[in-house]
Amino acid sequence: MTQSSPSRISKAVIPAAGLGTRFLPATKATPKEMLPVVDKPAIQYVVEEAVAAGLSDVLMITGRNKRPLEDHFDRNYELESALTRKGDAERLSKVQESSDLATMHYVRQGDPRGLGHAVLCAAPHVGDQPFAVLLGDDLIDPRDPLLARMVEIQEREGGSVVALMEVDPSQVHLYGCAAADTTVDSDVVRVTGLIEKPEPADAPSNLAVIGRYVLDPAIFDILRHTEPGRGGEIQLTDALQLLAADEKIGGPVHGVVFKGRRYDTGDRSDYLRAIVRLACEREDLGPEFRTWLRQYVTEEM
C-alpha cells in the first residue's frame, strides 16, 4: 500500500446505522439522527458542516428503519405545494433547504459490525481519494470550522487527520485516546499511537478522539484485515493505530486539537444541554428563552 498524493477532498461519509438504544423508546421507530435539536434534526447539522467545508458529495451509511433520513434530504412536493398555496415563503425555504444542501448517496450496512466496518462500506463510493468521516453524535458549532482545518492539514501533509479534544483524565475511558508529539502548528500534533477507550492509568494522554476524521484511502485495506476489537466490533481506532505506527502504509496521522464549541448529542443529558445551548444562542429564540430560563432556575430550582 502506498500513500495517496494530496488532492482536493470532496467526499464526506456519515455513518448512521446505529440503533440509538440510549434514546429508547423515542428511537423505536425514529432514527436517532432524526431527533430534533431545536427545530432541525441532528443529522442536518452534520451535513451542513460537511458542505461548509467544501464537501458536497455525501454518502450516508444507513441500516434498517433509516428510511426517514433519505426522506428528509429528498423533495416533499406535497408539503412544498401546500406551503406555496399558503404563501408561507419562510417555511417553504426551510423545507427546501435540506433537499438542496448536497448530493446525497446512501448505502446500507447490512451487518452492524462497528464503526470500522461502516467506514469500509464506503470504499466503492470513495475510491482511491482521501475523504472525511463525520459522526452524527458530535455537532460542531459552525463558528468553529474544525473540519475545514482538518482538510487543510490533510491536503498539506497527506495521510490522515483526526480531531482531538482535551478531556478530564477521568473521562478518557469513554474515547479513543492519542499519543502525540507537538508540531510547528500550535493546534496540530503528530499522532504516534491510539488506544480505544483505555483505563485512565493506561492512557498515553488526555487527548480524546472526537467524531471527525479525514482519512487516506489506505485505511480500507487495513480495515479489510482488521479483526474485531473492543466490544467485538471492527474499530476504526485499531486501523488508525497501524497507520500511525508505520507511515509507509498510508502516510502520517496528524491530529487537530479542537478548543471550540462542541455539542455532544450522544446521550440524553448532553442532548438536552445541546438543545439549551443552541436555543440560547439563536437570534429568533434566544432572548425570550434566556429570560424564561433565568426565571425558571431562580424560582423553580
Side-chain angles (χ1 to χ4, degrees), residues 2 37 55 118 259:
T2 59
V37 181
L55 313 182
K259 298 182 182 295

Side-chain angles (χ1 to χ4, degrees), residues 12 59 77 111 198:
L59 174 68
Y77 293 102
D111 187 8

Side-chain angles (χ1 to χ4, degrees), residues 36-78:
V37 181
V38 187
D39 55 3
K40 283 193 299 190
I43 194 67
Q44 184 169 332
Y45 289 90
V46 180
V47 174
E48 288 173 347
E49 180 187 350
V51 172
L55 313 182
S56 58
D57 185 317
V58 177
L59 174 68
M60 205 167 290
I61 312 298
T62 67
R64 292 184 65 250
N65 301 323
K66 297 286 185 168
R67 182 60 184 269
L69 294 172
E70 299 183 33
D71 291 341
H72 179 72
F73 292 102
D74 199 359
R75 299 290 299 273
N76 187 326
Y77 293 102
E78 295 83 358

